[in-house]
């Protein structure tokens, strides 16, 4: 299957919110953390709502107007969007969100997305949050030079996240 990575257009907003919820349902259930489908739908279901889709549309349009400050790429399979990566430039570059459906993982697509993001970010410190039990994602980010900082947060009081940072001297790709 061919996958194309490109900047989204405003009409793609209707796919990104539901895709984000779908990936959360695939990735984040964890009995030990008390994260189940109901919790995910309660805390992430709004991404697939009319309001969530409207926020995606606004972000996509802002990224088109300010490509030096906002980054967004989608991964299209033959029929649908199967992943995306977004980021923002401030004092440091914030990576996130980055999601791929399970069926699109393990094919080098994440590496292609990350390559485009790293080119956009340039030689700038980068940071992200990652769920501490998402070991596959942590290994992926480590491969690209991100290191855990020790900073932690409980998103919505429950989802355990760790901060990762990539210094400019860590330029691996």
């Amino acid at each position: 299957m061919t996958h194309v990575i490109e900047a989204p257009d405003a009409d793609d907003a209707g796919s990104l919110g539901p895709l984000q919820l779908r990936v959360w349902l695939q990735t984040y259930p964890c009995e030990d953390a008390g994260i189940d489908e109901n919790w995910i739908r309660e805390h992430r279901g709004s991404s697939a709502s009319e309001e969530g889709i409207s926020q995606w549309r606004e972000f996509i349009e802002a990224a088109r107007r300010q490509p030096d400050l906002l980054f967004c790429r989608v991964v299209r399979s033959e029929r649908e969007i199967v992943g995306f990566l977004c980021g923002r430039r401030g004092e440091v570059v914030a990576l996130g969100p980055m999601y791929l459906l399970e069926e699109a993982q393990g094919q080098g697509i994440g590496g292609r997305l990350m390559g485009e993001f790293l080119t956009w970010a340039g030689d700038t410190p980068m940071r992200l949050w990652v769920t501490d039990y998402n070991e596959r994602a942590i290994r992926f980010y480590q491969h690209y030079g991100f290191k855990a900082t020790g900073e932690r947060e409980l998103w919505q009081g429950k989802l355990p996240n760790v901060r990762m940072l990539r210094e400019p001297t860590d330029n691996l790709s």
Side-chain angles (χ1 to χ4, degrees), residues 27-118:
T27 306
Y28 295 113
C30 177
E31 190 174 320
D32 290 344
I35 307 293
D36 61 12
E37 179 179 343
N38 290 332
W39 189 90
I40 291 168
R41 288 188 183 282
E42 179 183 338
H43 292 88
R44 266 295 170 213
S46 64
S47 65
S49 71
E50 215 173 290
E51 181 182 342
I53 291 167
S54 176
Q55 290 171 350
W56 273 111
R57 184 178 311 280
E58 289 171 20
F59 183 81
I60 290 167
E61 290 169 351
R64 284 207 181 265
R65 287 190 311 271
Q66 299 176 303
D68 53 324
L69 298 178
L70 300 172
F71 178 91
C72 192
R73 297 292 182 275
V74 296
V75 179
R76 294 184 198 281
S77 71
E78 293 160 359
R79 285 182 241 124
E80 66 177 333
I81 295 175
V82 296
F84 60 89
L85 189 160
C86 299
R88 298 174 180 271
R89 186 182 311 276
E91 287 181 29
V92 299
V93 170
L95 185 157
M98 179 179 183
Y99 295 117
L100 283 173
L101 290 173
E102 285 178 350
E103 60 263 26
Q105 294 177 14
Q107 301 175 45
I109 300 163
R112 288 172 46 206
L113 267 174
M114 182 62 80
E116 289 199 23
F117 182 78
L118 294 175

Side-chain angles (χ1 to χ4, degrees), residues 128-147:
L128 59 87
W129 287 104
V130 62
T131 299
D132 74 355
Y133 58 82
N134 191 347
E135 295 172 9
R136 184 175 185 171
I138 291 169
R139 283 190 309 274
F140 175 83
Y141 294 129
Q142 287 172 335
H143 177 78
Y144 289 95
F146 287 87
K147 296 179 178 134

